[in-house]
Amino acid sequence: MTTPTTAIIDLDVPGATISRHVYGHFAEHLGRCIYGGFWVGEDSPIPNVRGIRSDVVAALRALQIPNLRWPGGCFADDYHWRDGIGPRDQRPRMVNSHWGDVVEDNAFGTHEFMDLCELLDAVPYVSGNIGSGTVSEVSDWVEYLTRADDSPMAALRRANGRDEPWRVPFWGLGNEPWGCGGNLRAEQFVSLARQYATYSRNHGGNDLYRIAAGASDADLHWTETLMRSFDDLAADPTEPARPFQAVSLHYYTMTGTWADKGHATGFSTEEWYTAMARARRMDELLTRHSTVMDRYDPHRKVGLVVDEWGTWWNVAKGTNPGFLYQQNTLRDALVASVHFDAFHRHAERVVMANIAQTVNVLQAMILTDPDSGALVLTPTYHVFAMNVAHHDASALTVHLRGVDTRTVDGSELPLLSASASVKGDSALVSLSNLDVDTDRTVVLDLRGREVVGHEARVLTAPAPDAHNTPEQLDAVAPAAHGAVRPHPRGLELDLPAHSYVTVSLNLR
Ligand code: AHR
């Protein structure tokens, strides 16, 4: 054991609201995310509701999944929504050229996605095709989804069996236009974003929250170009930003390069720390992009939406390289908890985030066995579950003292990450011990309100690359954490090496 570390928290100074939408998800037509993951079809022996896996829905409902982004990703800019409506056996096929070069039969389309969102009780986030779609195609899709009267698109929706319009608040304008979405320059894209935003109309009471495809990593020029293109942001603080309301950011964590991203399991100690340092980079990226945004948007009207984040490792051996299937370990869980700490700290600007991706792709919550169909909840899933009380709570600042660091790639990595929030008479403190070898003792110096009860949970396992399998579903699962003691300043607790701990507090 080393010198106790202290986390000072003023429980009576609530900050910005942590939108539940930072706990959002992403489902692309990629590998086994939609097909086999969410969708098995009505005739499957796997229990389903109208073709949608019941066990996946139940698992995600337990996380109170707030929103789901669809149909991509890169796929979104190849997707023509009219191919995915009407009788399934008559839908045209297409090639999914981005992901595995497989033939897509469009069995899962608009109605199936909206049905899925209703089953999940999640808000839909639909990404419109700007890369290869037309303005009128995007405009018609919004009308098809959201219009109530007898307009041509509303009538077409009714002919396909859905009378009532859906509510679709979140509307994406393109995806990675600097890459798969057209290889455009920021200056080109910004004109398209303004144009497509204009024709993505509000119908009836459905007000779209339009999200323009944003930067990758530290591409501040992209963010700056988008921010410059808004109508006067300084004018009236009560008026929404126009012509779109948010910009996005994508950032993936890997230990290697895009050519060789690093191993999902069997990694070295150095790779553990590299992953943690790169995950912590999200905080720096949010600070830098927010600083640019603040320059143009003093009233903070424009949302920052991190609609792709998570780990990206080399694919699992023997799987299709285009399917991006990877194992998910305790290390992935800590990458997630570090990201959530950053999102909580930046709650004023970060209005939504979507981990990539929900099932069977990249940093998944759920893995399904392609043969037996067995469902596995990953360590990352459990971080989402342990953090539900942060949804829509007010962020609390956590001042850390006495945290050890380790030099990684020439910079100092603090070996403890933390965040906290308060809602009414409850608070939740999140603590990630990033030290792969050493247990830590932390004093929670809790000020401003009386703490009348506490309950702690821990997520850890003997090996840093421990993971769950159909044979061992609970190798990594949250457990009650008893190593919490009263302390003159609040509470003192022990954090095992490579662990994630949450402490719920009852306040008076
Ligand atoms: O999430 C996988 C892919 O990563 C998405 O399709 C794309 O937007 C990003 O490059």
Side-chain angles (χ1 to χ4, degrees), residues 167-170 202-210:
R167 211 187 135 255
V168 182
F170 298 129
N202 294 338
H203 293 280
N206 189 80
D207 284 346
L208 293 177
Y209 188 76
R210 301 168 190 79

Side-chain angles (χ1 to χ4, degrees), residues 36-58 119 372-375:
F38 283 107
W39 176 258
V40 285
E42 286 147 345
D43 301 331
S44 170
I46 296 173
N48 67 83
V49 175
R50 295 180 292 280
I52 296 166
R53 279 185 78 137
S54 303
D55 52 0
V56 168
V57 167
L119 290 172
S372 67
L375 176 143

Side-chain angles (χ1 to χ4, degrees), residues 219-286:
D219 184 354
L220 301 180
H221 173 71
W222 193 280
T223 298
E224 177 132 31
T225 308
L226 286 177
M227 292 307 295
R228 258 200 218 120
S229 81
F230 278 93
D231 297 345
D232 190 4
L233 285 170
D236 179 352
T238 61
E239 280 294 309
R242 291 206 172 88
F244 37 88
Q245 288 73 48
V247 300
S248 72
L249 171 68
H250 289 183
Y251 174 67
Y252 284 98
T253 297
M254 54 189 73
T255 51
T257 61
W258 282 101
D260 180 9
K261 303 176 187 74
H263 300 297
T265 57
F267 43 80
S268 65
T269 297
E270 278 318 305
E271 287 173 291
W272 165 278
Y273 286 116
T274 302
M276 296 308 141
R278 295 202 182 173
R280 275 205 59 113
R281 200 163 164 247
M282 176 52 83
D283 193 78
E284 176 206 320
L285 291 174
L286 295 178

Side-chain angles (χ1 to χ4, degrees), residues 178-189:
W178 36 263
C180 64
N183 282 311
L184 303 175
R185 297 190 198 295
E187 293 72 15
Q188 290 173 284
F189 174 69

Side-chain angles (χ1 to χ4, degrees), residues 26 28 30 73-74 99 175-176 250 252 308 312 356-357 362:
F26 172 31
E28 182 166 10
L30 194 178
C74 296
W99 307 120
N175 175 75
E176 300 193 350
H250 289 183
Y252 284 98
E308 287 186 31
W312 195 325
Q357 298 191 7
L362 299 177

Side-chain angles (χ1 to χ4, degrees), residues 396-481:
L396 293 169
T397 304
V398 181
H399 301 279
L400 290 176
R401 292 224 181 109
V403 175
D404 287 345
T405 62
R406 179 183 173 109
T407 309
V408 183
D409 292 339
S411 300
E412 289 308 297
L413 168 71
L415 294 176
L416 178 70
S417 178
S419 65
S421 69
V422 64
K423 201 194 283 175
D425 289 336
S426 314
L428 186 69
V429 183
S430 290
L431 299 150
S432 303
N433 184 2
L434 308 186
D435 195 315
V436 77
D437 294 318
T438 312
D439 299 351
R440 300 274 157 195
T441 297
V442 177
V443 173
L444 297 184
D445 184 338
L446 302 168
R447 303 177 181 185
R449 291 185 69 178
E450 191 186 348
V451 178
V452 292
H454 67 265
E455 196 180 302
R457 299 176 84 200
V458 62
L459 186 73
T460 191
D465 72 343
H467 52 275
N468 298 328
T469 62
E471 295 71 39
Q472 236 197 320
L473 290 171
D474 290 330
V476 188
H481 191 47

